[in-house]
């Protein structure tokens, strides 16, 4: 527990002193997306508990608790996947918020609808990636999502094609005159 606490504190202090996370947040203007989340503290906490679980495995073996040792060993092998899934989820959420904000800044009709749609699609992709990273089989959900997304894109393509048919005809006529 002491080694894990020390390592977690070390990770937190290194991230705070180097300022790399604050620099990235400022560089990409992510203050609103990150909010009050203390990322160095969070990453230090993850490091602390990972080391704690890793050190519990040999302790359980010494105490001849083989079932507990086997469980802790499998948990120690699985925890990096969970940590990465958490990092992916946080990064995906920040990305979805960032994309939605940038779309809202564009002066276009219905930009709020486009922003919400882009955010929702990004979050669905993130959730699928996170579930896969944790080890949950998602091939059916992934394929269903891709079919729905393809249907939506086909619908948008047809709507734009039919809606802009006259403009496309005029553009083609102008191109023929130039050639």
């Amino acid at each position: 527990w002491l080694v894990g606490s020390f390592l977690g504190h070390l990770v937190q202090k290194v991230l705070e002193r180097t300022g790399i996370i604050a620099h990235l947040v400022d560089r990409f203007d992510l203050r609103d997306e990150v909010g009050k989340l203390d990322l160095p503290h969070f990453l230090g906490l993850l490091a602390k508990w990972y080391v704690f679980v890793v050190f519990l495995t040999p302790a359980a073996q010494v105490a001849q608790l083989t079932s507990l040792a086997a469980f802790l060993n499998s948990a120690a092998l699985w925890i990096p996947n969970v940590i990465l899934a958490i990092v992916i989820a946080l990064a995906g959420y920040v990305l979805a918020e960032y994309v939605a904000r940038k779309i809202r800044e564009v002066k276009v009709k219905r930009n709020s609808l486009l922003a919400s749609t882009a955010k929702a699609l990004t979050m669905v992709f993130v959730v699928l990636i996170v579930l896969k990273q944790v080890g949950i089989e998602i091939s059916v959900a992934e394929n269903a999502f891709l079919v729905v997304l393809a249907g939506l894109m086909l619908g948008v393509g047809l709507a734009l094609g039919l809606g802009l048919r006259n403009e496309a005809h005029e553009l083609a006529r102008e191109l023929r005159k130039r050639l």
Side-chain angles (χ1 to χ4, degrees):
W1 184 80
L2 288 174
V3 173
S5 294
F6 174 74
L7 187 64
H9 185 72
L10 181 68
V11 166
Q12 179 181 350
K13 290 302 176 189
V14 165
L15 289 174
E16 286 174 352
R17 296 242 170 123
T18 60
I20 190 163
I21 296 201
H23 173 71
L24 290 173
V25 167
D26 289 338
R27 170 125 166 80
F28 293 108
D29 192 24
L30 300 172
R31 283 275 173 228
D32 293 336
E33 288 80 9
V34 174
K36 295 182 181 182
L37 179 64
D38 186 7
L39 288 174
H41 176 73
F42 179 71
L43 295 173
L45 197 63
L46 287 176
K48 170 187 167 181
W49 282 103
Y50 180 68
V51 170
F52 183 68
V53 169
V54 167
F55 274 94
L56 271 180
T57 303
Q61 288 174 343
V62 168
Q64 296 188 4
L65 300 170
T66 55
S67 297
L68 181 61
F71 170 74
L72 289 173
N73 188 38
S74 63
L77 294 174
W78 183 64
I79 286 176
N81 290 331
V82 173
I83 291 171
L84 186 58
I86 290 170
V87 170
I88 290 170
L90 288 173
Y93 174 74
V94 168
L95 176 69
E97 286 289 332
Y98 181 76
V99 167
R101 188 181 71 210
K102 289 299 180 183
I103 291 174
R104 282 188 191 99
E105 288 175 3
V106 175
K107 302 297 179 199
V108 179
K109 288 183 181 179
R110 301 204 190 343
N111 64 353
S112 181
L113 176 65
L114 290 172
S116 297
T117 304
K119 180 180 175 182
L121 288 175
T122 304
M123 287 309 298
V124 169
F125 275 122
V126 168
V127 167
L128 290 175
I129 291 168
V130 166
L131 289 175
K132 195 174 228 178
Q133 181 64 37
V134 171
I136 297 173
E137 183 59 38
I138 57 158
S139 60
V140 173
E142 195 173 39
N143 290 336
F145 174 71
L146 290 176
V147 166
V148 169
L149 184 62
L152 286 173
M153 292 300 113
L154 180 64
V156 168
L158 282 172
L160 287 175
L162 293 174
L164 299 175
R165 179 178 44 198
N166 294 336
E167 286 80 2
H169 183 68
E170 292 296 322
L171 182 64
R173 183 179 299 159
E174 288 179 27
L175 286 174
R176 272 190 257 152
K177 286 180 183 177
R178 290 184 187 173
L179 296 177

mmCIF file of all heavy atoms in Angstrom, residues 2 30-31 33 55 61 80 116 140 176:
data_model
loop_
_atom_site.group_PDB
_atom_site.id
_atom_site.type_symbol
_atom_site.label_atom_id
_atom_site.label_comp_id
_atom_site.label_asym_id
_atom_site.label_seq_id
_atom_site.Cartn_x
_atom_site.Cartn_y
_atom_site.Cartn_z
ATOM 1 N N LEU A 2 1.973 1.208 0.762
ATOM 2 C CA LEU A 2 2.877 2.358 0.817
ATOM 3 C C LEU A 2 3.538 2.625 -0.532
ATOM 4 O O LEU A 2 3.649 3.778 -0.951
ATOM 5 C CB LEU A 2 3.944 2.135 1.896
ATOM 6 C CG LEU A 2 3.448 2.239 3.339
ATOM 7 C CD1 LEU A 2 4.556 1.845 4.307
ATOM 8 C CD2 LEU A 2 2.944 3.624 3.635
ATOM 9 N N LEU A 30 -9.622 23.326 -24.044
ATOM 10 C CA LEU A 30 -10.529 22.300 -23.542
ATOM 11 C C LEU A 30 -10.979 22.552 -22.108
ATOM 12 O O LEU A 30 -11.407 21.638 -21.427
ATOM 13 C CB LEU A 30 -9.854 20.925 -23.635
ATOM 14 C CG LEU A 30 -9.445 20.471 -25.026
ATOM 15 C CD1 LEU A 30 -8.619 19.207 -24.951
ATOM 16 C CD2 LEU A 30 -10.664 20.263 -25.891
ATOM 17 N N ARG A 31 -10.864 23.778 -21.622
ATOM 18 C CA ARG A 31 -11.235 24.096 -20.231
ATOM 19 C C ARG A 31 -12.697 23.719 -19.949
ATOM 20 O O ARG A 31 -13.000 23.148 -18.919
ATOM 21 C CB ARG A 31 -11.043 25.579 -19.949
ATOM 22 C CG ARG A 31 -9.629 25.956 -19.732
ATOM 23 C CD ARG A 31 -9.226 25.744 -18.290
ATOM 24 N NE ARG A 31 -7.792 25.978 -18.182
ATOM 25 C CZ ARG A 31 -6.959 25.176 -17.579
ATOM 26 N NH1 ARG A 31 -7.392 24.094 -17.002
ATOM 27 N NH2 ARG A 31 -5.689 25.445 -17.535
ATOM 28 N N GLU A 33 -14.591 21.553 -21.552
ATOM 29 C CA GLU A 33 -14.826 20.122 -21.682
ATOM 30 C C GLU A 33 -14.286 19.341 -20.492
ATOM 31 O O GLU A 33 -14.907 18.393 -20.026
ATOM 32 C CB GLU A 33 -14.199 19.589 -22.981
ATOM 33 C CG GLU A 33 -14.922 20.013 -24.235
ATOM 34 C CD GLU A 33 -14.589 21.419 -24.669
ATOM 35 O OE1 GLU A 33 -13.661 22.027 -24.088
ATOM 36 O OE2 GLU A 33 -15.265 21.935 -25.576
ATOM 37 N N PHE A 55 0.758 -5.879 -6.040
ATOM 38 C CA PHE A 55 1.450 -6.358 -4.837
ATOM 39 C C PHE A 55 0.590 -7.299 -4.004
ATOM 40 O O PHE A 55 1.121 -8.076 -3.211
ATOM 41 C CB PHE A 55 1.923 -5.177 -3.980
ATOM 42 C CG PHE A 55 3.257 -4.643 -4.390
ATOM 43 C CD1 PHE A 55 3.336 -3.582 -5.278
ATOM 44 C CD2 PHE A 55 4.428 -5.200 -3.922
ATOM 45 C CE1 PHE A 55 4.562 -3.077 -5.674
ATOM 46 C CE2 PHE A 55 5.666 -4.709 -4.319
ATOM 47 C CZ PHE A 55 5.736 -3.646 -5.193
ATOM 48 N N GLN A 61 -0.400 -15.315 -2.478
ATOM 49 C CA GLN A 61 0.316 -16.578 -2.702
ATOM 50 C C GLN A 61 1.083 -16.991 -1.453
ATOM 51 O O GLN A 61 1.125 -18.174 -1.112
ATOM 52 C CB GLN A 61 1.262 -16.448 -3.890
ATOM 53 C CG GLN A 61 0.551 -16.402 -5.218
ATOM 54 C CD GLN A 61 1.489 -16.116 -6.385
ATOM 55 O OE1 GLN A 61 2.596 -15.644 -6.187
ATOM 56 N NE2 GLN A 61 1.006 -16.393 -7.589
ATOM 57 N N PRO A 80 -4.964 -2.854 -16.655
ATOM 58 C CA PRO A 80 -4.468 -1.929 -17.682
ATOM 59 C C PRO A 80 -5.477 -1.689 -18.808
ATOM 60 O O PRO A 80 -5.571 -0.573 -19.329
ATOM 61 C CB PRO A 80 -3.200 -2.606 -18.210
ATOM 62 C CG PRO A 80 -2.745 -3.456 -17.094
ATOM 63 C CD PRO A 80 -3.993 -3.921 -16.409
ATOM 64 N N SER A 116 -25.184 18.396 -32.123
ATOM 65 C CA SER A 116 -25.699 17.309 -31.282
ATOM 66 C C SER A 116 -25.545 15.958 -31.967
ATOM 67 O O SER A 116 -25.196 14.957 -31.330
ATOM 68 C CB SER A 116 -27.170 17.553 -30.946
ATOM 69 O OG SER A 116 -27.301 18.732 -30.207
ATOM 70 N N VAL A 140 -21.940 -7.608 -32.772
ATOM 71 C CA VAL A 140 -23.315 -7.442 -33.254
ATOM 72 C C VAL A 140 -23.726 -5.971 -33.153
ATOM 73 O O VAL A 140 -24.272 -5.397 -34.103
ATOM 74 C CB VAL A 140 -24.281 -8.340 -32.446
ATOM 75 C CG1 VAL A 140 -25.722 -8.045 -32.818
ATOM 76 C CG2 VAL A 140 -23.963 -9.799 -32.689
ATOM 77 N N ARG A 176 -19.733 22.226 -69.151
ATOM 78 C CA ARG A 176 -19.731 21.843 -70.562
ATOM 79 C C ARG A 176 -19.434 23.020 -71.457
ATOM 80 O O ARG A 176 -18.732 22.868 -72.461
ATOM 81 C CB ARG A 176 -21.101 21.257 -70.945
ATOM 82 C CG ARG A 176 -21.182 19.763 -70.686
ATOM 83 C CD ARG A 176 -22.420 19.186 -71.281
ATOM 84 N NE ARG A 176 -23.327 18.986 -70.133
ATOM 85 C CZ ARG A 176 -24.616 19.001 -70.169
ATOM 86 N NH1 ARG A 176 -25.254 19.222 -71.292
ATOM 87 N NH2 ARG A 176 -25.327 18.818 -69.098
#
